[in-house]
């Protein structure tokens, strides 16, 4: 019951409301409230404070999450590793949206005809990493820099190049461009390169697709990865490369827990994806 309460608190911290937490855990809103109340009674401290429709965490709750959260996810991951996957067990593949669209769609469409018990989810890299570490996902397919320490296998597939996209000719590096969230840990290295080149991030989007579409509409040049150029079938005349931007690449990884790879179905899916980048 203690682990159940901690899991509920961790999800509540991410979702912010009882209803969204219940939806994610597949339980009712009242069940979420009861779990938190039991956890508060067990620990002898207040963990949440109502704040309108949202829930505010107390300092004790933040301290608990900081101290227990990583260990809880690791324990959950270890438990997941020892579960046997039969032919109808769901294998969750957690992907970057740009990568699944740019590199995997056709392959997975064919693969699904042979193994229908695969679920694909899309998140940003930090969430994919967390989901693989905790066992929420069997395999992660992500782009960008990984954390300094992690407890899974990270198979480097390629370094994906970026292009500047704009609906007008670019004969020189622009002074300002549209980028994706530079506060995202997987993108943060881009900021130093842009600063060195004297390029100002005009806007920081949460979607490379949105960035590309704004650029094609003439708002400003956008820095987008090769996978987006491929997915949107952007014509070469709207794509520009400059030697100064050559170091702006993002590593692409397949990540999975070592023991999960011992499962034949997981191994086969990992090898199928990896073969696309040989």
């Amino acid at each position: 019951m203690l682990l159940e309460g901690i899991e509920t608190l961790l999800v509540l911290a991410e979702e912010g409301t009882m209803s969204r937490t219940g939806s994610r855990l597949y339980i009712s809103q009242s069940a979420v409230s009861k779990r938190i109340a039991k956890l508060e009674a067990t620990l002898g401290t207040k963990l949440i404070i109502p704040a309108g429709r949202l829930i505010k965490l107390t300092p004790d709750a933040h301290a608990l999450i900081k101290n227990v959260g990583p260990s809880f996810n690791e324990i959950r991951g270890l438990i997941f590793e020892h579960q046997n996957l039969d032919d109808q067990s769901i294998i969750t593949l957690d992907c970057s949206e740009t990568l699944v669209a740019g590199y995997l769609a056709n392959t997975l469409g064919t693969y699904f005809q042979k193994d229908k018990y695969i679920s694909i989810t899309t998140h940003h890299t930090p969430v994919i990493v967390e989901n693989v570490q905790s066992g929420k996902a069997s395999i992660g397919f992500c782009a960008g820099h990984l954390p300094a320490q992690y407890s899974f296998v990270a198979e480097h597939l390629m370094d994906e190049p970026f292009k500047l996209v704009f609906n007008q000719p670019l004969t020189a590096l622009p002074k300002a461009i549209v980028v994706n969230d530079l506060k995202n840990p997987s993108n943060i290295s881009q900021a130093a390169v842009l600063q060195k080149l004297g390029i100002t991030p005009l806007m920081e989007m949460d979607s490379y697709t949105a960035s590309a579409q704004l650029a094609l509409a003439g708002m400003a040049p956008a820095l987008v990865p090769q996978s987006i150029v491929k997915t949107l079938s952007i014509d070469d005349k709207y794509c520009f490369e400059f030697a100064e931007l050559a170091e702006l690449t993002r590593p692409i990884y397949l990540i999975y827990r070592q023991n999960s790879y011992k499962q034949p179905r997981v191994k086969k899916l990992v090898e199928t994806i990896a073969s696309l980048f040989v």
Side-chain angles (χ1 to χ4, degrees):
M1 294 300 291
L2 181 60
L3 292 178
E4 188 178 72
I6 291 173
E7 179 186 29
T8 305
L9 180 65
L10 292 174
V11 175
L12 181 59
E14 295 175 2
E15 298 295 342
T17 70
M18 294 282 192
S19 60
R20 288 202 296 263
T21 299
S23 296
R24 186 163 149 187
L25 293 174
Y26 300 99
I27 60 176
S28 67
Q29 185 172 331
S30 62
V32 173
S33 182
K34 289 178 181 177
R35 286 186 182 185
I36 296 298
K38 289 180 180 178
L39 183 60
E40 288 179 328
T42 300
L43 299 178
T45 187
K46 192 70 175 173
L47 297 173
I48 63 171
I49 301 172
R53 293 179 57 208
L54 299 176
I55 295 296
K56 182 179 179 180
L57 301 182
T58 67
D60 284 342
H62 284 295
L64 180 64
I65 291 170
K66 180 180 179 181
N67 292 327
V68 176
S71 298
F72 178 83
N73 284 332
E74 181 60 22
I75 290 171
R76 184 162 52 188
L78 290 171
I79 293 172
F80 169 80
E81 280 187 349
H82 289 85
Q83 293 177 346
N84 289 320
L85 295 177
D86 59 33
D87 291 343
Q88 296 185 359
S89 297
I90 297 296
I91 295 177
T92 300
L93 173 63
D94 202 7
C95 305
S96 159
E97 181 183 3
T98 60
L99 297 185
V100 72
Y103 297 113
L104 293 191
N106 291 335
T107 296
L108 289 179
T110 302
Y111 195 93
F112 190 72
Q113 301 308 311
K114 300 177 182 178
D115 188 344
K116 296 185 180 297
Y117 297 97
I118 295 174
S119 175
I120 302 171
T121 56
T122 57
H123 292 101
H124 292 310
T125 294
V127 177
I128 295 173
V129 167
E130 178 185 328
N131 286 344
V132 171
Q133 289 189 142
S134 67
K136 294 178 184 177
S138 304
I139 305 168
F141 183 45
C142 56
H145 295 279
L146 300 177
Q149 295 182 334
Y150 49 80
S151 57
F152 48 74
V153 176
E155 189 173 338
H156 178 248
L157 302 179
M158 69 175 288
D159 289 316
E160 185 180 37
F162 280 82
K163 297 180 184 294
L164 282 175
V165 172
F166 199 37
N167 72 342
Q168 302 168 33
L170 291 176
T171 56
L173 278 175
K175 296 296 183 182
I177 62 175
V178 177
V179 299
N180 260 43
D181 184 10
L182 297 178
K183 295 181 290 295
N184 184 319
S186 61
N187 298 334
I188 199 167
S189 62
Q190 296 178 12
V193 176
L194 296 177
Q195 184 178 27
K196 181 178 67 176
L197 295 172
I199 299 175
T200 301
L202 184 62
M203 289 178 281
E204 296 187 30
M205 308 295 291
D206 193 45
S207 164
Y208 281 118
T209 299
S211 299
Q213 296 288 19
L214 289 173
L216 293 172
M219 177 167 284
L223 186 70
V224 300
Q226 174 179 283
S227 51
I228 284 293
V229 173
K230 181 179 178 181
T231 300
L232 299 181
S233 300
I234 301 175
D235 195 289
D236 287 345
K237 66 182 179 182
Y238 301 127
C239 299
F240 305 91
E241 298 181 37
F242 294 91
E244 297 92 332
L245 297 178
E247 63 181 301
L248 277 179
T249 62
R250 62 176 190 167
I252 295 177
Y253 294 99
L254 263 177
I255 62 176
Y256 47 87
R257 299 182 71 93
Q258 183 65 60
N259 282 344
S260 297
Y261 187 72
K262 296 176 182 178
Q263 303 278 356
R265 290 176 59 223
V266 172
K267 182 179 180 180
K268 183 178 180 181
L269 182 54
V270 166
E271 290 177 346
T272 298
I273 297 172
S275 68
L276 299 176
F277 297 86
V278 174

